[in-house]
Amino acid sequence: MGVRFYSAGGALGKDEVEGRIMDLLKGFDKVTNQEKLTPAAHFANDLGLDSLDTVEVVMAIEEEFSIEIPDKEADKLHSVQQAVEYITSQPDAH
Amino acid sequence: MALAAYRHLLRAARIAFEGDAYRLTAARKAARDGFESSRALKPDSEEAVNNIVHAEAVSKFLMENLVQGKAMDGEAERYKLRIHERTERGDNESIKLAGKKKSHPTNTKAFRS
């Protein structure tokens, strides 16, 4: 029987996480102002998302990285940068 | 509180309708429409609080009491059920109470958000 060795891997790199979150937001139809979509973008102030949209974005981020973000943490994610920091701090994200 | 309820509802729908894009999309839309219709309510009004309690109850139902079934190939009237780790399992303990004089308290556990 074959044995597979998975690499230690560990946390994802910042650039990769940022790229995947940006791609996800590019595909989110409520982001109307694509020019403001930068790694520093704030979901509400820059991207014009309301609070329900923001919940949907955070849920989509959960799906993208196959993790479940606890309510307490999810409530604190209001910008691309905050989301990137959170995901890179999660060893289970992949 | 409303945002947490919305998140719980979306999460419950994701589990309940996994692999069923049509119903998952419909459930997400229904959730969004429901919350949109309460947007103007004051957060601490009775109606808003009741709506949140309702949303949490729907989440719990979707997560625990809804099971997907898929028709099995070539077998009429047979379905394979997808029971998952959050599906509620009854233990039938309450049947032992039947016929006993002492009435057991009904479960009125409140929902937390």
Side-chain angles (χ1 to χ4, degrees), chain A residues 5-78:
Chain A
F5 293 97
Y6 293 92
S7 68
L12 294 166
K14 182 178 168 291
D15 291 342
E16 190 199 337
V17 172
E18 193 175 275
R20 281 163 67 183
I21 291 177
M22 296 280 282
D23 284 345
L24 187 149
L25 284 163
K26 267 178 218 157
F28 194 64
D29 56 5
K30 286 176 186 127
V31 176
T32 45
N33 199 341
Q34 293 280 349
E35 284 149 36
K36 287 202 170 170
L37 184 50
T38 65
H42 187 278
F43 296 148
N45 301 344
D46 298 313
L47 306 180
L49 300 178
D50 68 21
S51 58
L52 293 179
D53 298 330
T54 301
V55 170
E56 290 171 22
V57 167
V58 173
M59 292 290 297
I61 291 172
E62 282 193 353
E63 284 169 38
E64 170 68 26
F65 295 96
S66 310
I67 54 164
E68 191 161 309
I69 306 175
D71 283 340
K72 221 176 109 199
E73 305 296 333
D75 287 338
K76 286 189 245 166
L77 304 180
H78 299 292

Side-chain angles (χ1 to χ4, degrees), chain B residues 29-87:
Chain B
K29 186 173 185 313
R32 178 81 194 204
D33 290 347
F35 276 81
E36 287 291 351
S37 71
S38 302
R39 191 183 275 279
L41 297 177
K42 283 198 182 125
D44 51 358
S45 67
E46 195 187 336
E47 201 184 345
V49 172
N50 287 344
N51 288 354
I52 289 168
V53 170
H54 175 72
E56 294 287 1
V58 173
S59 301
K60 186 172 155 60
F61 179 86
L62 286 177
M63 192 98 93
E64 299 180 359
N65 303 115
L66 189 141
V67 174
Q68 292 172 305
K70 195 175 182 184
M72 291 169 75
D73 291 336
E75 300 198 54
E77 309 288 315
R78 289 193 74 194
Y79 290 82
K80 187 168 178 59
L81 299 180
R82 191 178 71 83
I83 293 170
H84 52 75
E85 59 177 3
R86 299 296 299 269
T87 308

